[in-house]
Amino acid sequence: MAALGIAMGGGNWFSALALGVTLLKCLLIPTYHSTDFEVHRNWLAITHSLPVSQWYYEATSEWTLDYPPFFAWFEYALSHVAKYFDQEMLNVRNLNYSSSRTLLFQRFSVIFTDALFVYAVHECCKCIDGKKAGKELTEKPKFILSVLLLWNFGLLIVDHIHFQYNGFLFGLMLLSIARLFQKRHMEGAFLFAVLLHFKHIYLYVAPAYGVYLLRSYCFTANKPDGSIRWNSFSFVRVISLGLIVFLVSALSLGPFLALNQLPQVLSRLFPFKRGLCHAYWAPNFWALYNALDKVLSIIGPRGFLRCLILCALSSFLFGWHVHEKAILLAVLPMSLLSVGKAGDASIFLILTTTGHYSLFPLLFTAPELPTKILLMLLFTTYSISSLKTLFRKEKPLFNWLETFYLLGLGPLEVFCEFVFPFTSWKLKYPFIPLLLTSVYCAAGITYAWFKLYVSVLSDPPSSKTKKQ
């Protein structure tokens, strides 16, 4: 702790935070991992031992390759490092294969690729207005944002306990957001196009990108009142954006188009034969996709960010076969808004606390119970205390009803983990804890979505943005 204090005092606080969370990730290596561990091991084997023409047809394992081609090539690249750890993990026939070397390789591959996420957070911090900065380092918006992102509880348990590669993917998204804040629109568009071909779940937020780039890049001038000057539309810029999308898509899908396998790839990416609800009952309710009102009135990067979050939340709440982990698609970008306005901080805290708790059923083994409770308590306590300090001169972040709801998560956890297992209902109704968690969290997430939606419609973002 002394070393950490010296590093922060010397201006190297960001490096200290990044190093600290990396060490924590290393400590989580021996913990429980889900079937996603075998999913990614199998994808390593598929891409390493089979020709490209068989990648999206291979079905020896039930965990078939169902991510876009860029992610498949990512697994292919990893496999050429994996062979130096344990060659057997790359055998397609070795179903459910596991070894200590396989564990170390896959865990460290997630930690290593998180370097992109760390860099993206650093770039996002450059885009934050420091007007509210206090005298103390821990009261500065950039420091708070760095902690909220680098030490995000949900990302820690999903990637470094449950096991996935969300870190570098969110790194691509945050980096594209930072580039748009910096008015480097072409770079932002390119990064997002690449991201879509790594994981297609980010299609959820594509409408926000499309509208923002149309409004802020393709229209080159505004009227004095801030509205669009229609005759300023640039066909050259539209063509430039279209060319980026086309070239990235051609690079990703071109080989499979040449092999006449594009329909097979798309059938893997969009398996509509699956049921309406995912197995873990993501805390949502299903309906038609929710269109964003006033979307053409977006002015400035902050407005884009708010609409991006609305797209993510709307897709989460109304989507088909939604995974519970998709809530992070809204939580992480919302972190950027939380240090700007008290109203956004309130929404962030409700969304994050509820969304993170909804991930608890992912870690259902007893040894991980203290870890997940402790990590969430630490992150939630820091989030609330730091944002309350940042906005201490404004009204309270929660009203009595919001406070009552958030405190209700405590009794819910006690019942699900410590009371229900000893009741007679456990054998007959084993789904009750999951049902209660899902329904209770759905209420909080829906409330946060509604509150954000109202704030967007009633309090349009300012057109003034931070000068780069």
Side-chain angles (χ1 to χ4, degrees), residues 165-295:
Y165 288 93
N166 292 293
F168 89 92
L169 296 173
F170 278 117
L172 278 173
M173 187 180 78
L174 291 179
L175 192 56
S176 73
I177 291 171
R179 293 300 180 246
L180 295 184
F181 268 69
Q182 296 162 0
K183 300 190 183 302
R184 295 158 65 174
H185 298 93
M186 295 290 282
E187 288 182 49
F190 171 75
L191 288 168
F192 184 68
V194 170
L195 176 61
L196 287 179
H197 288 275
F198 266 102
K199 192 170 184 178
H200 49 305
I201 193 176
Y202 293 93
L203 280 169
Y204 287 168
V205 298
Y209 273 87
V211 172
Y212 177 70
L213 288 169
L214 177 68
R215 175 65 179 84
S216 298
Y217 182 65
C218 297
F219 286 96
T220 59
N222 297 325
K223 295 178 181 179
D225 62 357
S227 60
I228 297 174
R229 190 181 296 278
W230 294 100
N231 61 2
S232 69
F233 184 76
S234 172
F235 284 100
V236 173
R237 292 192 173 191
V238 172
I239 293 172
S240 299
L241 289 174
L243 191 60
I244 285 177
V245 174
F246 173 78
L247 291 176
V248 171
S249 299
L251 183 62
S252 171
L253 300 174
F256 300 96
L257 183 62
L259 292 167
N260 293 319
Q261 293 184 357
L262 191 57
Q264 174 65 16
V265 174
L266 294 178
S267 70
R268 285 283 183 87
L269 299 185
F270 303 100
F272 290 111
K273 292 181 180 180
R274 292 181 183 179
L276 172 63
C277 298
H278 183 250
Y280 272 112
W281 298 6
N284 70 343
F285 58 90
W286 188 89
L288 296 175
Y289 184 86
N290 185 57
L292 294 176
D293 290 334
K294 294 188 177 181
V295 73

Side-chain angles (χ1 to χ4, degrees), residues 11-66:
N12 296 320
W13 56 268
F14 186 86
S15 299
L17 287 174
L19 177 61
V21 76
T22 301
L23 293 175
L24 174 60
K25 293 170 184 177
C26 291
L27 291 176
L28 296 175
I29 287 176
T31 57
Y32 151 85
H33 54 77
S34 71
T35 53
D36 279 334
F37 187 87
E38 168 62 13
V39 170
H40 288 283
R41 186 214 60 80
N42 186 54
W43 293 359
L44 288 171
I46 290 173
T47 56
H48 184 82
S49 58
L50 298 176
V52 176
S53 60
Q54 296 182 31
W55 285 2
Y56 286 93
Y57 283 95
E58 165 58 34
T60 301
S61 168
E62 62 180 306
W63 312 118
T64 54
L65 181 58
D66 58 6

Side-chain angles (χ1 to χ4, degrees), residues 113-412:
T113 54
D114 274 358
L116 179 58
F117 181 74
V118 173
Y119 173 69
V121 172
H122 187 267
E123 289 298 297
C124 285
C125 287
K126 294 179 180 179
C127 305
I128 297 302
D129 188 355
K131 291 181 180 179
K132 291 185 176 65
K135 294 181 180 180
E136 297 295 328
L137 172 64
T138 54
E139 296 180 10
K140 296 182 182 296
K142 291 184 178 181
F143 180 87
I144 296 172
L145 177 61
S146 297
V147 176
L148 295 181
L149 288 172
L150 292 176
W151 290 74
N152 181 271
F153 166 77
L155 198 55
L156 278 174
I157 68 166
V158 169
D159 275 13
H160 302 280
I161 298 181
H162 180 80
F163 191 84
Q164 279 193 347
Y165 288 93
N166 292 293
F168 89 92
L169 296 173
F170 278 117
L172 278 173
M173 187 180 78
L174 291 179
L175 192 56
S176 73
I177 291 171
R179 293 300 180 246
L180 295 184
F181 268 69
Q182 296 162 0
K183 300 190 183 302
R184 295 158 65 174
H185 298 93
M186 295 290 282
E187 288 182 49
F190 171 75
L191 288 168
F192 184 68
V194 170
L195 176 61
L196 287 179
H197 288 275
F198 266 102
K199 192 170 184 178
H200 49 305
I201 193 176
Y202 293 93
L203 280 169
Y204 287 168
V205 298
Y209 273 87
V211 172
Y212 177 70
L213 288 169
L214 177 68
R215 175 65 179 84
S216 298
Y217 182 65
C218 297
F219 286 96
T220 59
N222 297 325
K223 295 178 181 179
D225 62 357
S227 60
I228 297 174
R229 190 181 296 278
W230 294 100
N231 61 2
S232 69
F233 184 76
S234 172
F235 284 100
V236 173
R237 292 192 173 191
V238 172
I239 293 172
S240 299
L241 289 174
L243 191 60
I244 285 177
V245 174
F246 173 78
L247 291 176
V248 171
S249 299
L251 183 62
S252 171
L253 300 174
F256 300 96
L257 183 62
L259 292 167
N260 293 319
Q261 293 184 357
L262 191 57
Q264 174 65 16
V265 174
L266 294 178
S267 70
R268 285 283 183 87
L269 299 185
F270 303 100
F272 290 111
K273 292 181 180 180
R274 292 181 183 179
L276 172 63
C277 298
H278 183 250
Y280 272 112
W281 298 6
N284 70 343
F285 58 90
W286 188 89
L288 296 175
Y289 184 86
N290 185 57
L292 294 176
D293 290 334
K294 294 188 177 181
V295 73
L296 282 176
S297 67
I298 299 174
I299 301 176
R302 190 173 185 84
F304 154 71
L305 191 55
R306 298 174 97 190
C307 285
L308 181 150
I309 296 163
L310 280 176
C311 279
L313 277 177
S314 298
S315 300
F316 181 82
L317 290 171
F318 300 100
W320 180 276
H321 198 81
V322 176
H323 288 239
E324 66 293 320
K325 300 178 283 292
I327 191 61
L328 295 178
L329 190 55
V331 167
L332 291 171
M334 193 70 208
S335 305
L336 300 176
L337 291 180
S338 69
V339 296
K341 295 175 61 178
D344 289 335
S346 174
I347 297 170
F348 166 78
L349 290 172
I350 296 169
L351 175 65
T352 300
T353 306
T354 310
H356 282 170
Y357 183 77
S358 73
L359 298 174
F360 265 36
L362 288 175
L363 308 182
F364 52 84
T365 55
E368 276 64 49
L369 179 61
T371 301
K372 68 181 182 182
I373 291 177
L374 178 61
L375 286 178
M376 180 163 176
L377 283 176
L378 288 173
F379 182 83
T380 305
T381 301
Y382 173 80
S383 300
I384 294 174
S385 61
S386 62
L387 291 175
K388 277 189 174 182
T389 300
L390 185 62
F391 299 106
R392 58 183 176 274
K393 295 181 180 179
E394 303 186 35
K395 64 179 183 180
L397 296 181
F398 304 123
N399 58 38
W400 69 268
L401 183 60
E402 293 165 348
T403 301
F404 180 79
Y405 171 80
L406 292 177
L407 290 175
L409 292 171
L412 176 61

